[in-house]
Amino acid sequence: MEIGVIGLGGMGGGIARHLLATGHVVRVYNRSPQAAEALVEAGAIRAATPAQAAPPGGIVITMVANDAALEQVTTGPEGFMPALGAGGVHLSMSTVSVALIAALARRHAESGSDLVSAPVFGRPDAAGSGRLWILHSGPAAAKTRVRPVLEALSQGVFDIGETPEAAAVGKIAGNFLIAAATEAMGEAFALLTKSGADARVFHEMMGKSIFACPIYQNYGRFILDEAFSPAGFKLSLGAKDVGLALEASAGAQVPMPFASVLRDRMLAALALGQGDLDWTSIALRAAADAGLGQTPR
Amino acid sequence: MEIGVIGLGGMGGGIARHLLATGHVVRVYNRSPQAAEALVEAGAIRAATPAQAAPPGGIVITMVANDAALEQVTTGPEGFMPALGAGGVHLSMSTVSVALIAALARRHAESGSDLVSAPVFGRPDAAGSGRLWILHSGPAAAKTRVRPVLEALSQGVFDIGETPEAAAVGKIAGNFLIAAATEAMGEAFALLTKSGADARVFHEMMGKSIFACPIYQNYGRFILDEAFSPAGFKLSLGAKDVGLALEASAGAQVPMPFASVLRDRMLAALALGQGDLDWTSIALRAAADAGLGQTPR
Amino acid sequence: MEIGVIGLGGMGGGIARHLLATGHVVRVYNRSPQAAEALVEAGAIRAATPAQAAPPGGIVITMVANDAALEQVTTGPEGFMPALGAGGVHLSMSTVSVALIAALARRHAESGSDLVSAPVFGRPDAAGSGRLWILHSGPAAAKTRVRPVLEALSQGVFDIGETPEAAAVGKIAGNFLIAAATEAMGEAFALLTKSGADARVFHEMMGKSIFACPIYQNYGRFILDEAFSPAGFKLSLGAKDVGLALEASAGAQVPMPFASVLRDRMLAALALGQGDLDWTSIALRAAADAGLGQTPR
Amino acid sequence: MEIGVIGLGGMGGGIARHLLATGHVVRVYNRSPQAAEALVEAGAIRAATPAQAAPPGGIVITMVANDAALEQVTTGPEGFMPALGAGGVHLSMSTVSVALIAALARRHAESGSDLVSAPVFGRPDAAGSGRLWILHSGPAAAKTRVRPVLEALSQGVFDIGETPEAAAVGKIAGNFLIAAATEAMGEAFALLTKSGADARVFHEMMGKSIFACPIYQNYGRFILDEAFSPAGFKLSLGAKDVGLALEASAGAQVPMPFASVLRDRMLAALALGQGDLDWTSIALRAAADAGLGQTPR
């Protein structure tokens, strides 16, 4: 199958590479063309514009940084939507706003193409080796059509609804759960440390028992080791994602007090210069408010 | 070894039963004596008062409902502290306040005995089969002495500090993490449901991937199934434990905004009559605030 | 002086009427023309478009509902910006986002005109009788030029900065203070009522002593009387203004935990159908969470 | 009339002085006797113990620092309750917990005396010149009896209920309103300052218009001037009062999210060493979280 991949950062590049490795014909586009070099050497077809990356009536994957970039590559002057044309499927894998997904779905419907939202959980190495976890949603026929692609990329594909917005919300909700777990650990560790208890022992036990899962095991360790740089996922991006959660919750009229606390934590961290640290560094705020360590970091 | 067990509810009863089954001599006391019947039939020695349950210079386990009960059985008119006497160890396994543990530690020191705080994570069936998870803290020699008992009862024993308070804070922090995870899921599920996404699919994926651990898997399912009655752990008790977290954090001067949100959720749930439901039912509050379902329950 | 007034709702209509009454030549425009009838009868010049309302090189006042309306009348197809032209001053009195004010300021600078932001505090009757309170900000010369107009309309004019954004933030911050005072009273009254104290007596004393000012006196009475309909200011508009505060605080990286609580209160009130009630009805949420009264309203 | 006054700090001393000046016979007691010197010189009768300060069957005013002190002087070894005896009235003017007032009311009932709770708003100079504001509650006959005393001390006396607890809650709710107004100003000023607006101008306008009342005028100025030392009311005492609000709200099952935010602010301020500053210095926390100024102070 011929597939376009637009956006070749860590995640998009890994996806393109894995599709190539599993026998697909892959057209690749990235705003700064250097990111395409290695993929072209490995057999990908270079597209000079987003439009050139779209196989007419085929499948285009987008994995870009934010709403503005997704809008640009899809419906901008060189956007792929006209080239994709009737019968095509846009497989949007970025973390973007629910409002944009809803707007693009309308545009695709007018253009005769379909939008399937399929955001992912996993790091770049998981993308490059087909071990992502993928939520997706959209029109039934389009979902059926992209399913083999999603299965090639993942260790689990989950159908979360009939509208493309559903999976967009799913991704936002997932990142919210991660941020909430991080803040909870930050508060708990501050309490333990200031009370003379060994937070590492606490973390070890929790990670072996009732919270024996990657987020608590790994993110808890990052916090305890203050392993915030280089960032696995920058706090500035985490702040953006919390912003998406608040925007989605405002749109749906769903109060989310934990998300509101996270908003204020993220803003404090940004104001104090932590934007380029890993997003688990929001735990520094709980510690600093308790008078632990030198603030700010 | 001869061991006293005071408090024979689900947890304490399971502990006494398992100690008997693993070859210990066990003295048992419970405020309402019926709870001791089956254990006495199985070979336990009935104590008519807390004091009678204490092997002089030996080990007494307490597993009671709250601060008042622990104070009563330890230093009340028929309390075991004098009987336990010099060289004895009080192994306190209840979830109680840091302030009470600190106060009892002082009293024990005056009495020549030691206090080891060893709160547990696990349900009654885990207590009855030696599969608890146990944090403990206290004076080094006393910890060494009770270690075989803790190992008999658990699948993991963790030493969290030199003061009995440390493990008390650890238990409180653990329950805080659980409550925070519950609230986070409640908010996420409300957002998903009101946005037209399938919260069950979201939960399934999270529980298989980045949150593949008991709390998210089981508590998430309770929320989605509204399986709040009969309660595994009553909301009124959960509210008490959030109160212990706030009390500990006030004492240690550690702001905990998530704990504060949980406080207000718990109070709303109590005010609306949910005290006897399972504590995962705080998720009903996030749903009701979003206009989902009939409020209040 | 000849002045254009665009937007003739309660506030804008009052402003136009008072300017007429104090001897100004006034051009008026409103999207639905009926709103201009009475003013035209009283001597105002009817403008068929926003552009026609702008005296070239003169002063145009805008008082419209939201960002979209302000953008439309200023830079839309029939917008007044070109007609106002070089040397003109746009006196923006609406409550709008800081981001829009910043964007319009740039457009005005390109067009040779100036933007003075001058949002107001006061109800329509205060607008119609020159008793508003007005913050304003912008380039010094432009502020000097509009000062007589602002003085005609107000009992107090305050210069809050050199950039038009400053006054926009001032208005947003003022409405935030009002909403915060309302929530605080709602919580206090719920506590008093449920504790068997007389909230009306409490309110009376506060309103005569340390909180002897209009917001506590009047808004407190609205809450106690449940005088929420007809709305003086709709909760849906209050929710919009809290949203503006959050947006401004995110842009400036200023955590505002009280604003976050207000956000969640407003969302709950909207979700439960209170959007058309007066915004003081957020106090119903504090009462309902305490189990007072039938929820939801 | 003969009146006992127990507790001769700034407030209690002012009350005793004013009662003397208005022709009452006053017995005075203070834990450290020096505080009584000037009053004795002015004609007061020195009491060596709390018990000696109580006119049998008469009126005793208590104005002490906290729950422990009130319990001590009332029912401690030298407490006045037995001496006050049948027909006496205890006029409790301190800010103390609802739970203690309830407990003392029961003890007084057993002793044949009555408890009227009558906490005050005002600074020491208002106490010394009869210009306090006073809430009071308790049994009707006892309220009638103490009314002339309360009127002598105040510019306004308000009857908030039939149980002594009612006025205790009223005082706690009043201090909560003050703390909430302070936090709201702190957040607003941080937003304004960081947005380039002049927070002083904003404060001036608000204090002349919709918030023209002492709390906003004076406390806002303290914040803007950073006039936190010497403290008018120490932050450590403000933290205690927020704690009383949380305790009362937990007891009454009333969620108070603003009080929860205040709790965490107060704890952060204490942890960062602000306990001896004026309680308006919680505004430093909002500023510091926004990256304004050097943190911590």
Side-chain angles (χ1 to χ4, degrees):
Chain A
M1 199 187 312
E2 189 173 348
I3 302 170
V5 179
I6 293 173
L8 305 172
M11 296 299 295
I15 286 170
R17 197 164 64 245
H18 189 70
L19 289 175
L20 273 177
T22 53
H24 296 81
V25 176
V26 183
R27 302 189 194 184
V28 293
Y29 171 80
N30 197 65
R31 196 173 44 175
S32 42
Q34 311 90 291
E37 294 302 336
L39 288 161
V40 171
E41 277 176 35
I45 302 163
R46 184 195 303 277
T49 64
Q52 288 182 16
I59 296 173
V60 178
I61 290 172
T62 50
M63 182 55 106
V64 295
N66 52 36
D67 277 29
L70 181 56
E71 215 169 349
Q72 179 72 14
V73 301
T74 308
T75 59
E78 298 185 320
F80 68 81
M81 193 181 272
L84 182 65
V89 180
H90 175 192
L91 191 53
S92 168
M93 305 186 84
S94 316
T95 303
V96 290
S97 75
V98 179
L100 177 60
I101 289 294
L104 289 182
R106 284 191 296 273
R107 295 289 297 273
H108 275 293
E110 291 161 16
S111 177
S113 47
D114 280 312
L115 175 62
V116 172
S117 175
V120 305
F121 291 88
R123 301 244 161 171
D125 64 321
S129 55
R131 291 178 293 110
L132 293 168
W133 292 92
I134 305 183
L135 288 170
H136 71 309
S137 68
K143 279 188 294 197
T144 301
R145 189 159 162 216
V146 299
R147 180 131 200 142
V149 177
L150 298 180
E151 285 179 348
L153 294 170
S154 75
Q155 50 185 316
V157 178
F158 297 80
D159 179 353
I160 195 173
E162 302 303 310
T163 66
E165 293 93 316
V169 176
K171 172 63 180 176
I172 288 167
N175 278 11
F176 160 71
L177 282 192
I178 298 171
T182 306
E183 168 68 18
M185 282 188 282
E187 294 184 17
F189 294 169
L191 175 63
L192 290 161
T193 301
K194 213 168 166 198
S195 303
D198 188 331
R200 285 181 183 276
V201 169
F202 174 81
H203 173 249
E204 184 193 354
M205 190 183 100
M206 289 293 145
K208 283 184 175 165
S209 57
I210 57 179
F211 288 105
C213 53
I215 293 298
Y216 285 83
Q217 292 165 340
N218 300 336
Y219 283 38
R221 199 177 58 244
F222 297 159
I223 296 171
L224 292 167
D225 293 346
E226 302 204 356
F228 301 137
S229 184
F233 185 65
K234 285 189 182 178
L235 191 138
S236 57
L237 297 177
K240 191 203 69 167
D241 285 3
V242 169
L244 292 177
L246 291 167
E247 187 185 323
S249 75
Q253 297 180 341
V254 177
M256 294 181 74
F258 267 21
S260 290
V261 170
L262 291 170
R263 181 195 102 101
D264 289 316
R265 282 287 199 223
M266 292 285 181
L267 288 179
L270 291 175
L272 293 165
Q274 297 178 210
D276 288 334
L277 298 185
D278 190 73
W279 70 328
T280 50
S281 72
I282 58 164
L284 289 175
R285 297 293 94 227
D289 277 358
L292 291 168
Q294 300 305 315
T295 94
R297 298 261 312 198
Chain B
M1 201 189 310
E2 189 173 347
I3 302 169
V5 178
I6 293 173
L8 304 172
M11 296 299 295
I15 286 169
R17 197 163 64 246
H18 189 70
L19 290 175
L20 273 177
T22 52
H24 296 80
V25 176
V26 183
R27 301 190 194 183
V28 294
Y29 171 79
N30 196 66
R31 195 174 46 178
S32 42
Q34 312 91 290
E37 294 300 337
L39 289 161
V40 171
E41 278 176 35
I45 301 161
R46 184 194 304 274
T49 64
Q52 289 183 13
I59 297 173
V60 178
I61 290 172
T62 51
M63 181 55 107
V64 295
N66 52 35
D67 277 29
L70 181 56
E71 215 169 350
Q72 180 71 14
V73 300
T74 309
T75 58
E78 298 185 321
F80 67 82
M81 192 180 276
L84 181 63
V89 180
H90 174 191
L91 191 53
S92 168
M93 305 185 84
S94 315
T95 303
V96 290
S97 76
V98 180
L100 177 58
I101 289 294
L104 289 183
R106 284 190 296 271
R107 296 288 297 274
H108 275 292
E110 291 161 14
S111 177
S113 48
D114 281 312
L115 176 62
V116 173
S117 175
V120 305
F121 292 87
R123 301 245 162 171
D125 63 322
S129 55
R131 290 179 295 108
L132 293 168
W133 292 93
I134 306 183
L135 288 170
H136 72 308
S137 68
K143 279 187 293 196
T144 302
R145 190 159 162 216
V146 299
R147 180 128 201 147
V149 178
L150 298 181
E151 284 179 350
L153 293 170
S154 75
Q155 49 186 316
V157 178
F158 297 80
D159 179 353
I160 195 173
E162 301 304 309
T163 67
E165 294 92 317
V169 175
K171 172 63 180 176
I172 287 167
N175 278 12
F176 160 70
L177 282 192
I178 298 171
T182 305
E183 168 68 19
M185 283 189 282
E187 294 184 16
F189 294 169
L191 175 63
L192 290 161
T193 300
K194 214 168 167 197
S195 303
D198 188 331
R200 286 181 183 276
V201 170
F202 174 82
H203 174 249
E204 185 193 354
M205 191 183 98
M206 289 294 145
K208 283 184 175 165
S209 57
I210 56 179
F211 288 106
C213 53
I215 293 298
Y216 284 84
Q217 291 164 341
N218 300 336
Y219 283 38
R221 198 176 60 244
F222 297 158
I223 296 171
L224 292 167
D225 292 348
E226 301 204 356
F228 302 136
S229 184
F233 185 66
K234 285 190 182 180
L235 192 139
S236 57
L237 297 177
K240 190 203 70 169
D241 285 3
V242 169
L244 292 177
L246 292 167
E247 188 185 324
S249 75
Q253 297 182 340
V254 177
M256 294 181 74
F258 267 22
S260 291
V261 170
L262 291 170
R263 182 195 101 103
D264 290 316
R265 282 288 199 224
M266 292 285 179
L267 288 179
L270 290 175
L272 293 164
Q274 297 177 210
D276 287 335
L277 299 184
D278 190 74
W279 70 329
T280 50
S281 73
I282 58 164
L284 289 175
R285 296 293 94 228
D289 277 358
L292 291 167
Q294 301 305 316
T295 95
R297 301 258 315 198
Chain C
M1 200 186 313
E2 189 173 348
I3 302 169
V5 178
I6 293 173
L8 304 172
M11 296 299 294
I15 286 169
R17 197 164 64 247
H18 189 69
L19 289 176
L20 272 177
T22 53
H24 295 81
V25 177
V26 183
R27 302 190 193 182
V28 294
Y29 171 79
N30 196 65
R31 195 173 46 175
S32 41
Q34 311 90 291
E37 295 300 337
L39 289 161
V40 171
E41 278 175 35
I45 301 162
R46 183 195 303 277
T49 64
Q52 289 183 14
I59 295 173
V60 178
I61 290 171
T62 51
M63 183 54 107
V64 295
N66 51 36
D67 278 29
L70 180 56
E71 214 169 350
Q72 179 71 15
V73 300
T74 308
T75 58
E78 298 185 322
F80 67 81
M81 193 181 274
L84 182 64
V89 179
H90 174 190
L91 192 52
S92 167
M93 305 185 85
S94 316
T95 303
V96 289
S97 75
V98 180
L100 177 59
I101 289 294
L104 289 182
R106 283 191 296 272
R107 296 290 298 272
H108 274 293
E110 291 161 14
S111 178
S113 47
D114 280 314
L115 175 62
V116 173
S117 175
V120 306
F121 291 88
R123 301 244 162 171
D125 64 322
S129 55
R131 291 178 296 107
L132 293 168
W133 293 93
I134 306 183
L135 288 171
H136 71 309
S137 68
K143 278 188 294 196
T144 301
R145 188 158 164 217
V146 299
R147 180 131 201 142
V149 179
L150 297 181
E151 284 178 350
L153 293 170
S154 75
Q155 50 186 315
V157 178
F158 297 81
D159 179 353
I160 196 172
E162 302 304 310
T163 66
E165 294 92 317
V169 175
K171 171 64 180 175
I172 287 167
N175 279 11
F176 160 71
L177 282 193
I178 299 171
T182 306
E183 167 68 19
M185 283 189 281
E187 294 184 17
F189 294 170
L191 175 64
L192 289 161
T193 301
K194 213 168 166 196
S195 303
D198 189 330
R200 286 182 183 276
V201 170
F202 174 81
H203 173 248
E204 184 193 355
M205 190 183 99
M206 289 292 145
K208 283 184 175 164
S209 57
I210 56 178
F211 288 105
C213 53
I215 293 298
Y216 284 83
Q217 291 164 342
N218 300 337
Y219 283 38
R221 198 176 60 245
F222 297 159
I223 296 171
L224 291 167
D225 292 346
E226 301 204 357
F228 301 136
S229 183
F233 185 65
K234 285 190 182 179
L235 191 139
S236 56
L237 297 176
K240 190 203 72 168
D241 285 3
V242 169
L244 292 177
L246 292 167
E247 188 184 324
S249 75
Q253 297 182 340
V254 177
M256 294 182 74
F258 267 22
S260 291
V261 169
L262 291 170
R263 181 196 102 103
D264 289 316
R265 281 289 199 223
M266 292 285 181
L267 288 179
L270 291 175
L272 293 165
Q274 296 177 211
D276 288 335
L277 298 185
D278 190 74
W279 70 328
T280 50
S281 73
I282 59 163
L284 289 174
R285 298 293 93 229
D289 277 357
L292 291 167
Q294 301 305 315
T295 93
R297 301 258 313 200
Chain D
M1 199 186 316
E2 188 173 349
I3 302 170
V5 179
I6 294 174
L8 304 172
M11 296 299 295
I15 286 170
R17 198 165 62 245
H18 189 69
L19 289 176
L20 273 176
T22 53
H24 296 81
V25 177
V26 183
R27 301 191 194 181
V28 294
Y29 171 79
N30 196 66
R31 196 173 45 176
S32 42
Q34 310 91 292
E37 295 300 337
L39 289 161
V40 171
E41 278 175 34
I45 302 163
R46 185 195 302 277
T49 63
Q52 288 183 13
I59 296 174
V60 178
I61 290 172
T62 51
M63 181 56 105
V64 295
N66 51 36
D67 278 29
L70 181 56
E71 214 169 350
Q72 179 73 14
V73 301
T74 309
T75 58
E78 299 185 321
F80 68 81
M81 193 180 273
L84 181 64
V89 180
H90 174 192
L91 191 52
S92 167
M93 306 186 84
S94 316
T95 303
V96 290
S97 75
V98 180
L100 177 60
I101 289 295
L104 289 181
R106 282 191 297 273
R107 295 288 297 274
H108 275 293
E110 291 161 14
S111 178
S113 48
D114 279 313
L115 175 62
V116 172
S117 175
V120 305
F121 291 87
R123 301 244 163 172
D125 64 322
S129 55
R131 292 179 294 107
L132 293 168
W133 293 92
I134 305 183
L135 288 171
H136 71 309
S137 68
K143 279 187 294 197
T144 301
R145 189 159 162 217
V146 298
R147 180 130 202 144
V149 178
L150 297 181
E151 285 179 349
L153 294 170
S154 75
Q155 49 185 316
V157 178
F158 297 81
D159 179 353
I160 195 173
E162 301 305 309
T163 66
E165 294 93 315
V169 175
K171 172 63 180 176
I172 287 167
N175 279 12
F176 160 72
L177 281 193
I178 298 171
T182 306
E183 167 69 18
M185 283 189 281
E187 295 184 16
F189 295 169
L191 175 63
L192 289 161
T193 301
K194 214 169 165 196
S195 303
D198 189 331
R200 285 181 184 277
V201 170
F202 174 82
H203 173 248
E204 184 193 356
M205 190 182 99
M206 289 293 146
K208 283 184 176 164
S209 57
I210 56 178
F211 288 105
C213 53
I215 294 297
Y216 284 83
Q217 291 165 340
N218 300 336
Y219 283 39
R221 197 176 60 244
F222 297 158
I223 296 171
L224 292 167
D225 293 346
E226 301 203 357
F228 301 136
S229 184
F233 185 66
K234 285 189 182 179
L235 191 139
S236 57
L237 297 177
K240 189 203 71 168
D241 285 2
V242 169
L244 291 177
L246 291 167
E247 188 184 323
S249 75
Q253 298 182 340
V254 177
M256 294 182 73
F258 267 22
S260 291
V261 169
L262 291 170
R263 182 194 102 102
D264 289 317
R265 282 287 198 224
M266 292 286 180
L267 288 179
L270 290 175
L272 293 164
Q274 297 178 210
D276 287 336
L277 299 185
D278 191 74
W279 70 329
T280 51
S281 73
I282 58 164
L284 290 174
R285 299 291 93 228
D289 277 358
L292 291 167
Q294 301 304 316
T295 94
R297 300 264 310 206

